[in-house]
Amino acid sequence: MALCVLLLALLVACGGNPASGVATPTASSISLSTPTTGVTATVPTATGGGTDWTTYHRDNTRSGYIAGVPDPTRLVSLWTTHLDGAVYAEPLVVHGRVIVATEGDSLYALDLNKGGVIWHTNVGTPVPLATLPCGNIDPLGITGTPVYDPATNLIFAVAEVSGPRHLLVGVDADSGALKFSRSIDPPGADPRVHQQRAALALANGRIYVAYGGLYGDCGDYRGRVVAVPTTNPQAPMLTFTVPTPREGGIWAPAGPAVDDAGDLYVSVGNGAVTSGAWDHSDSVLRLSPTLQLEDGFAPTQWASDNAADLDLSSLGPVLLPNGLLFIAGKSGIAYLLRASALGGVGGQLQEQQLCDAYGGAARVDNVIYIPCSLGVLQVTIASGPRLIRGWQAPANINGSPIVGGNTVYVVDRTGALYALNRQTGAVRARLAIEPTSRFATPTLVGRTLLIGTMSGVVAAEIA
């Protein structure tokens, strides 16, 4: 055993390849049945300083914004690390290490400065697409962005493993040791047709996990949110199910947004009902900390939206100052709501034709940067309240943005990272990177940007 640990430590030390800039991942893994201490290393210093990034878009409102970051004149490639699968989840930064989840059902900690593997924990065997009734990720492993809990020092993630089934795992952030795992499939749900794409949320001493369906909407699935306490994750789950006969997935990659009171806001997809009483699909719903349905909103045309697959679930809800909430979806119509009184069917404060949006938006005060399919769009919430359309990026620059200082960072998934002037949309800098998934979104710590790709992670520096 001591010899194995020594060999693993040597692999970590030699993980980077200075000539190619590509780090080779270690082969270490941790058994589900027997949690084992992982390989540890000295925590590296973050490039340019800065704080950690422990959840999707950095905070529970999913703002994706850090003030005081210098604006770039250029972007410089730092390193590229290839891992055991595609990275759909947003990379996190915990204790100065990059935490990455892959479709290979692995969690990694990487050196922020060089990309070398510090520890690697595999939690199961991912599910081949050929064994599923539909979908578009092959294989299917960890898709939703994990979350870090400082109280327990655990990184929580949901992995789809062979069976299939969904496992909630807790991994020690420092060592990679697997501290626990449990089934997190909601009662009565068919794991084959439920996909966990939404980012996990940490609030109220609980981990919240949302479910939608596979690409193609096959099978008997319904949108659900489940929750377990962080201090006793083996406790019985709290569960909310969208009250529709079928579909109504909660799948936006941003996951639930959480307000100061601990209430959750989720966007819900098209449901099976296309006439009669509203089934709470094509909606924004507010859930209590214990997952009781408190309130909801749906467009007046929710039934026809359902019939045409033009629902609101493609974008995560955006919480705004002054108690407002913004949502847009596949129909191209954006809605401004009052978070404390969502208004039911047709209860919006304002609506405007803006764009069809997919992924997670970024927000700075009352200005939103929306991942429109035809290019990131700036929208200002003015008094009234009113939606005021601003600049729009070219159609290829349509990933889920974040903001650092006065710069918007966004990915063109065919292989480029852009830095855009926050006020004008003008391109400050561009860097070629490896191809990414449709919903890839950068992470920013200090002067370092991190992006998950279809084969691992790339890092760039603001210069």
Side-chain angles (χ1 to χ4, degrees):
M1 180 64 184
L3 179 60
C4 292
V5 171
L6 177 61
L7 288 173
L8 288 173
L10 290 172
L11 282 170
V12 169
C14 301
N17 183 340
S20 66
V22 177
T24 303
T26 67
S28 61
S29 63
I30 293 176
S31 166
L32 276 174
S33 57
T34 309
T36 308
T37 301
V39 179
T40 60
T42 302
V43 177
T45 302
T47 303
T51 58
D52 286 354
W53 188 289
T54 61
T55 191
Y56 185 94
H57 275 195
R58 193 170 182 262
D59 57 52
N60 270 352
T61 69
R62 314 304 196 185
S63 71
Y65 171 58
I66 300 180
V69 179
D71 300 317
T73 56
R74 60 195 178 101
L75 297 171
V76 179
S77 179
L78 284 181
W79 48 263
T80 296
T81 300
H82 292 156
L83 304 174
D84 70 355
V87 177
Y88 280 69
E90 182 179 27
L92 304 179
V93 178
V94 176
H95 303 163
R97 297 172 172 179
V98 183
I99 304 299
V100 186
T102 75
E103 297 295 342
D105 271 339
S106 286
L107 291 161
Y108 290 84
L110 308 179
D111 184 303
L112 180 58
N113 296 314
K114 297 180 180 180
V117 175
I118 297 171
W119 55 254
H120 166 209
T121 302
N122 180 262
V123 298
T125 301
V127 180
L129 180 60
T131 66
L132 298 172
C134 65
N136 62 351
I137 299 176
D138 190 16
L140 190 57
I142 303 175
T143 306
T145 299
V147 67
Y148 170 68
D149 175 27
T152 60
N153 198 40
L154 294 181
I155 298 157
F156 290 91
V158 172
E160 184 151 342
V161 301
S162 59
R165 58 192 176 119
H166 295 89
L167 291 180
L168 175 66
V169 298
V171 172
D172 183 83
D174 295 326
S175 68
L178 182 67
K179 295 298 185 179
F180 84 92
S181 68
R182 65 162 292 174
S183 172
I184 198 74
D185 285 305
D190 179 356
R192 296 182 315 127
V193 295
H194 283 82
Q195 181 166 293
Q196 205 292 298
R197 188 190 291 269
L200 275 59
L202 168 67
N204 311 306
R206 299 182 179 94
I207 297 297
Y208 296 93
V209 180
Y211 287 90
L214 297 167
Y215 179 80
D217 282 347
C218 58
D220 186 16
Y221 78 89
R222 286 195 288 170
R224 290 173 164 91
V225 183
V226 301
V228 295
T230 58
T231 55
N232 183 17
Q234 301 288 4
M237 291 186 292
L238 301 174
T239 305
F240 166 77
T241 303
V242 178
T244 181
R246 198 177 79 84
E247 301 180 319
I250 302 172
W251 65 271
V258 186
D259 67 15
D260 290 341
D263 286 341
L264 284 72
Y265 298 80
V266 294
S267 55
V268 178
N270 55 291
V273 175
T274 57
S275 64
W278 175 44
D279 62 349
H280 287 80
S281 61
D282 186 25
S283 65
V284 174
L285 302 180
R286 185 176 74 242
L287 307 177
S288 75
T290 56
L291 299 184
Q292 303 301 306
L293 177 61
E294 294 184 331
D295 199 1
F297 160 80
T300 305
Q301 72 281 6
W302 66 268
S304 59
D305 281 354
N306 276 354
D309 192 16
L310 294 176
D311 53 87
L312 296 176
S313 64
S314 58
L315 183 74
V318 181
L319 291 171
L320 292 154
N322 302 319
L324 301 179
L325 184 148
F326 173 92
I327 191 66
K330 301 176 187 175
S331 71
I333 302 174
Y335 302 92
L336 195 60
L337 313 174
R338 193 171 303 285
S340 61
L342 294 172
V345 176
Q348 66 272 10
L349 299 173
Q350 289 288 324
E351 69 174 78
Q352 186 173 328
Q353 189 76 34
L354 286 181
C355 70
D356 54 323
Y358 294 81
R363 179 188 62 80
V364 182
D365 298 324
N366 64 336
V367 181
I368 309 169
Y369 301 90
I370 306 166
C372 298
S373 62
L374 294 179
V376 168
L377 176 66
Q378 180 203 57
V379 173
T380 300
I381 311 303
S383 60
R386 294 175 296 136
L387 299 166
I388 300 178
R389 187 185 185 109
W391 57 260
Q392 186 162 20
N396 62 301
I397 308 176
N398 60 6
S400 296
I402 63 167
V403 182
N406 291 304
T407 301
V408 176
Y409 296 96
V410 61
V411 170
D412 168 355
R413 62 174 169 155
T414 61
L417 170 65
Y418 284 86
L420 309 178
N421 184 301
R422 194 179 102 192
Q423 281 76 32
T424 68
V427 176
R428 296 187 191 272
R430 178 188 181 277
L431 178 69
I433 62 173
E434 295 186 345
T436 70
S437 74
R438 177 177 191 171
F439 300 112
T441 187
T443 298
L444 175 60
V445 175
R447 291 176 175 264
T448 301
L449 290 150
L450 304 155
I451 304 99
T453 72
M454 298 307 291
S455 58
V457 181
V458 298
E461 184 177 27
I462 297 169

